[in-house]
């Protein structure tokens, strides 16, 4: 008897034309490290009396379908997740192409995602997937991955694939050593680590339906937050925090072959931190920053991906 193994698991996705309806074709195989994407339906205990001490049968509650996907930040596949987070990009060039994803879109595209465990076999199609949150960490070493949090409408499980033969992408991963951080156009030094979280703050439309699923997930006021930890070498960031002025932070990754990913936060506000001397080692300061809409650029952030993919 074959048993499911994570090493053989696969994932494919495609953007939907109609929310909650998986397309017949156009799926792309996606690299991923792990996923908790799934559907669950809890049971409600019976509250009825008069049948003795043993309880009556439980009742099924509404279906909840959501979860996280850990994905590599790469030159090609990451563009699908950026489109899910920000909407359709503005694409320029003739190869390589430059895809500019901008925050502030009123509507977001939905995805159909199929996860595959071929040994069982189990082919789970999650339709109506909308990206709720995208986060990653900037650090000196380790694997560069992002966490994608999704809200789905529902799950359909079969024994054969509904995605057909997905298209393949060439995997070109960015690494932490490819990264650089600038503040207002100048290199920002003494940075130990940075956490970045972009949230669409989805509002689930929980209408009454016979199948127990949601009717959709609408984006509300977006949020871009995080933390930046630095070695305390100068008062640049502390002075900015005290004055209450915003700055522009840019996080960039590049490959020798020409592919690049740049994430620009146009207006970052820093809180005044507590500077602690905890011992004889170096003193570090942590800023829990927030971003807001920049009045000049007209948006909160811009993600730019340069690769050999002509369209997303």
């Amino acid at each position: 008897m074959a048993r499911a193994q994570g090493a053989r698991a696969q994932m494919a996705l495609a953007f939907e034309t109609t929310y909650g309806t998986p397309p017949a074709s156009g799926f792309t195989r996606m690299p991923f490290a792990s996923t908790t994407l799934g559907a669950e339906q809890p049971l409600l205990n019976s509250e009825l009396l008069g049948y003795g001490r043993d309880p009556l049968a439980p009742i099924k509650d509404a279906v909840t379908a959501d979860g996280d996907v850990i994905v590599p930040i790469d030159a090609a596949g990451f563009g699908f997740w950026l489109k899910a987070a920000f909407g359709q990009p503005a694409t320029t060039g003739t190869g390589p192409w430059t895809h500019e994803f901008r925050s502030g879109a009123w509507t977001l595209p939905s995805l159909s995602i199929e996860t595959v465990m071929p040994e069982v076999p189990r082919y789970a199609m999650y339709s109506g997937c909308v990206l709720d949150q995208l986060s990653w960490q900037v650090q000196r070493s380790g694997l560069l991955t992002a966490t994608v949090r999704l809200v789905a409408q529902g799950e359909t499980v079969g024994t054969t694939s509904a995605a057909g033969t997905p298209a393949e992408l060439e995997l070109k991963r960015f690494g932490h050593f490819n990264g650089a951080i600038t503040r207002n156009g100048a290199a920002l030094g003494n940075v130990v680590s940075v956490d970045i979280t972009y949230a669409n703050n989805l509002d689930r439309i929980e209408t009454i339906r016979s199948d127990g699923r949601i009717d959709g997930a609408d984006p509300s006021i977006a949020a871009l937050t995080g933390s930046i930890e630095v070695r305390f070498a100068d008062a640049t960031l502390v002075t900015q925090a005290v004055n209450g002025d915003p700055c522009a932070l840019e996080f960039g990754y590049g490959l020798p072959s020409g592919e690049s990913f740049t994430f620009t936060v146009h207006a970052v506000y820093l809180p005044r931190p507590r500077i602690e001397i905890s011992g004889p080692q170096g003193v570090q300061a942590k800023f829990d920053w927030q971003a807001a809409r920049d009045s000049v650029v007209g948006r909160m952030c811009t993600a730019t991906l340069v690769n050999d993919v002509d369209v997303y």
Side-chain angles (χ1 to χ4, degrees), residues 78-93:
F78 197 55
F80 289 91
W81 303 115
L82 291 175
K83 179 179 176 180
F86 301 106
Q88 186 69 40
T91 300
T92 58

Side-chain angles (χ1 to χ4, degrees), residues 11-13 27 37 81 111-115 124-126 129 150:
M11 175 180 291
L13 64 75
F27 282 81
L37 184 61
W81 303 115
L111 298 160
S112 286
I113 300 177
E114 185 181 71
T115 59
M125 178 67 74
Y126 301 95
C129 296
L150 299 165

Side-chain angles (χ1 to χ4, degrees), residues 1-52:
M1 178 180 177
R3 295 176 175 83
Q5 295 183 355
R8 295 191 60 186
Q10 300 174 11
M11 175 180 291
L13 64 75
F15 288 99
E16 299 173 345
T17 303
T18 303
Y19 174 79
T21 303
S25 60
F27 282 81
T28 302
R29 189 183 310 278
M30 299 300 297
F32 73 104
S34 64
T35 180
T36 62
L37 184 61
E40 59 182 359
Q41 188 174 24
L43 298 175
L44 300 176
N45 294 330
S46 175
E47 83 287 15
L48 300 179
L49 305 176
Y51 295 88

